[in-house]
Amino acid sequence: TEITSINEELKDQVKKIEALRGFFDVDKKQSQLDELKEKLNNPKLWDDPKLAQEVNKEKVYLEKELIFFYKLEQSINDSV
């Protein structure tokens, strides 16, 4: 039936998203991003502007990576 077919399609989409989540190592990147945000909120970090800039650069990189994944995830979800 059509409902069964749609249900199977949804299951396939979920599997694709889970595989991509692992491929992009989303959980690890999100954890790293959270740690970097904490570091950037520490006023003492800014005593060393070069280090603060490096930490911020890494934060921006991880944000871009995660945004890319979340957009891809949304695109897959929207295709169903």
Side-chain angles (χ1 to χ4, degrees), residues 12-61:
D12 287 343
Q13 298 301 336
V14 168
K15 287 179 186 177
K16 286 179 187 177
I17 291 170
E18 289 172 0
L20 287 171
R21 181 175 286 279
F23 178 77
F24 283 107
D25 210 357
V26 172
D27 295 335
K28 182 179 178 183
K29 286 180 181 173
Q30 186 62 59
S31 178
Q32 290 172 327
L33 178 61
D34 293 342
E35 288 175 22
L36 292 174
K37 285 180 178 179
E38 272 187 46
K39 285 182 182 180
L40 288 167
N41 285 329
N42 182 347
K44 290 184 179 184
L45 174 69
W46 298 96
D47 292 343
D48 183 349
K50 188 172 183 171
L51 178 60
Q53 185 178 20
E54 289 175 21
V55 171
N56 193 54
K57 194 176 192 179
E58 181 66 16
K59 179 190 80 91
V60 169
Y61 169 78

